[in-house]
Amino acid sequence: MKRTLTLAFLLLIGTTTFAYDHYWIQFTDKNNTPFSIGNPSAFLSARSIQRRQNQNIPITVRDLPVDPNYVAQVLGTGAVTLNYRSRWFNAISITTTDANALTAINSLPFVVSVQPVKRYRGHNTVETIDNPETMSNQKYSNDIIMPTALNYGQSYNQANQIGAVCLHNAGFQGQGMVIAVLDDGFYNVDILPAFDSLRLNNRLLGTWDFVSGNANVYDDDTHGMEVLSDMAGWIDGSLIGTAPRAQYWLLRTEDAATEYLVEEDNWVAGIEFADSVGADVVNTSLGYTQFDDVAMNHVYADLDGNTTVIARAADFGCAAGMFICCCAGNSGTQPWYYIWSPADADSILAVGAVDNSGVIAGFSSHGPTADGRIKPNTCARGSGATVAASSGGITTASGTSFASPITCGAVACLWQAHPNFTNMQLFNAIQQSANNYSTPDNTYGYGIPDFCAANILLSSQNGPVPGSDQLLASFPDPFTSEVDFSFYSASDQQLKVELMDVTGRIVSTQSFFVKANAENKMELNGLQELSSGVYLLRVSSAAKVFVRKMVKR
């Protein structure tokens, strides 16, 4: 088979322009590698090792770097440039237009396969990272921030819809957590005011561009910048991200100008790098099904979580203890309306998009996976989400690309609150907190999560159930015809729920029976005739009265 592949490559080389110049080289084994499981500090950071230890995850052969002798022999075949290595797949990415080198590589006894992943587009210069795992010498802070009310401005609704505001008010704003963002560029993040707090407080740990092979990610596409702003952005009174005090790695893996399989390989390098430097949580608002070279296209049967390289890498990342969030895709109105990869990975939280009222966005991709699993897993605001503008200030944008980071930031805050839990325990609690958990489908998945409720679910597993009543998330805000809210009750009791205008006049009242030691979900409806303006939601239990400001659109 390898000889057949090489002949095909030689036929392509015979044309006026070289067809491919990027290749994925798979090796047979790691039998002679100088690295060992017993000395992981040679290839993983202390933080990465600690993350595994915290979750009782062993170091395995999969974690070992590729054999440097194999790499050297491949590079010695001719005009070949190394792009990066993959520990998890025992492979390397190379660039070459040397036909003789390809023939020689294909004949090496330790080479399993040579796969073309990108067509030639002219002169290409790539700086390589010999050992990207050693790039970081940054120190990680764990500053303690006392609970405080944040001035979210226009971004309040998207954070509150999933209960992130509740976590922030409890003091969990991402302190000490490390988030890696894999995207297509972070235009002007080094100068935009939305990221002043990120830079000035030394919470930007580092960058790398796996497309161009250098550390500059600030002159590429704006998409990653917008995505980042929904987690790390801070413009008082306009935009507060869902993990505003977390620390970040910015990793460019996507080339916005083209679409080739090499971008999945870039993503593999990026996720392995995120693992090696000790990232806790990863957001990737990327996905792949169709490519500029149609021969590379995925088909629906590939979306089983175990076929595409990127989905397998996502699961490997979760197996290493990271929590990975991914956008579900924006194909809901297209002939291909399914999710993309890596959203099909079974351990990744694929996030669909809803609007301010919690209604699914038409563009949000649907499940199931090819093997019949529910996707997306959850949903968050992705229609008209508030993001940082490339010119400064804020704007709105739509796509599951923004639902994912809004959720991802909240994941970091939840894990900060419960550091002794595993990534999959968090995953399960988040799904259980969602409003469609009892009747999941392939449009909303398990629904819109309530991170305030997930916090309680995990607290009840970590110790005594909270002993007091709590008003959890309320949404949408602004509302139109109804208000949905959740209430944690310490006892079986009757609640009195009222909506008042700013003069104190009660415009709606309903009673609800709630159960003890449970999150109770309720709906205050029939509000469509109310005038636009500010209202107060008042919930009276036997022990306490809760009041929350809301706006009628």
Side-chain angles (χ1 to χ4, degrees), residues 361-541:
F363 57 77
S364 189
S365 291
H366 299 258
T369 60
D371 57 332
R373 287 175 288 112
I374 292 287
K375 288 286 178 173
N377 299 93
T378 60
C379 290
R381 180 77 174 272
S383 179
T386 300
V387 301
S390 58
S391 57
I394 62 170
T395 185
T396 57
S398 294
T400 58
S401 286
F402 310 109
S404 183
I406 289 169
T407 301
C408 183
V411 170
C413 297
L414 183 66
W415 211 348
Q416 177 197 355
H418 301 278
N420 295 325
F421 281 85
T422 68
N423 57 350
M424 296 316 296
Q425 286 175 310
L426 264 72
F427 186 101
N428 293 332
I430 291 165
Q431 288 195 156
Q432 289 171 30
S433 77
N435 63 351
N436 203 36
Y437 180 68
S438 59
T439 56
D441 57 39
N442 287 299
T443 298
Y444 290 89
Y446 292 89
I448 301 169
D450 183 340
F451 279 83
C452 198
N455 183 34
I456 290 176
L457 287 170
L458 292 172
S459 296
S460 68
Q461 298 170 35
N462 200 29
V465 174
S468 61
D469 298 340
Q470 298 182 46
L471 176 60
L472 306 177
S474 55
F475 61 91
D477 189 7
F479 65 90
T480 52
S481 61
E482 65 185 44
V483 171
D484 298 311
F485 63 99
S486 300
F487 189 89
Y488 179 85
S489 182
S491 62
D492 290 344
Q493 61 176 312
Q494 198 80 18
L495 295 183
K496 183 179 182 181
V497 180
E498 301 164 302
L499 196 67
M500 302 183 298
D501 64 19
V502 291
T503 69
R505 182 174 62 95
I506 298 173
V507 297
S508 179
T509 181
Q510 293 185 39
S511 295
F512 298 91
F513 179 79
V514 292
K515 294 184 177 181
N517 301 327
E519 179 198 1
N520 298 269
K521 297 181 183 294
M522 288 155 283
E523 179 183 290
L524 190 63
N525 51 32
L527 309 177
Q528 60 272 11
E529 300 300 325
L530 295 180
S531 301
S532 299
V534 175
Y535 291 84
L536 298 176
L537 175 68
R538 183 167 67 183
V539 180
S540 303
S541 71

Side-chain angles (χ1 to χ4, degrees), residues 210-223:
F210 289 92
V211 179
S212 300
N214 56 56
N216 183 18
V217 299
Y218 301 128
D219 59 357
D220 298 298
D221 201 74
T222 62
H223 184 267

Side-chain angles (χ1 to χ4, degrees), residues 199-265:
R199 297 189 305 269
L200 295 175
N201 290 291
N202 298 315
R203 291 186 284 102
L204 181 52
L205 299 177
T207 64
W208 194 259
D209 185 334
F210 289 92
V211 179
S212 300
N214 56 56
N216 183 18
V217 299
Y218 301 128
D219 59 357
D220 298 298
D221 201 74
T222 62
H223 184 267
M225 177 274 293
E226 295 166 343
V227 165
L228 177 66
S229 72
D230 278 334
M231 295 177 284
W234 194 312
I235 305 175
D236 200 48
S238 297
L239 170 65
I240 302 290
T242 49
R245 299 188 192 274
Q247 299 161 94
Y248 291 86
W249 280 93
L250 309 185
L251 309 175
R252 180 183 179 228
T253 64
E254 161 78 5
D255 183 353
T258 64
E259 200 82 314
Y260 287 103
L261 269 176
V262 69
E263 291 164 78
E264 292 195 23
D265 299 342

Side-chain angles (χ1 to χ4, degrees), residues 30 37 43 52 58-64:
K30 298 180 180 179
I37 294 172
F43 50 90
R52 286 168 165 80
I59 307 292
T60 68
V61 171
R62 186 166 67 205
D63 294 305
L64 295 177

Side-chain angles (χ1 to χ4, degrees), residues 289-344:
T289 54
Q290 296 181 315
F291 300 93
D292 294 346
D293 182 347
V294 295
M296 297 179 179
N297 285 356
H298 298 315
V299 296
Y300 179 62
D302 293 336
L303 300 186
D304 60 358
N306 296 305
T307 298
T308 70
V309 168
I310 197 169
R312 292 163 61 201
D315 280 341
F316 290 160
C318 295
M322 293 184 292
F323 193 112
I324 304 177
C325 294
C326 176
C327 56
N330 301 322
S331 304
T333 59
Q334 300 175 18
W336 174 290
Y337 61 89
Y338 293 112
I339 57 166
W340 50 29
S341 200
D344 61 311

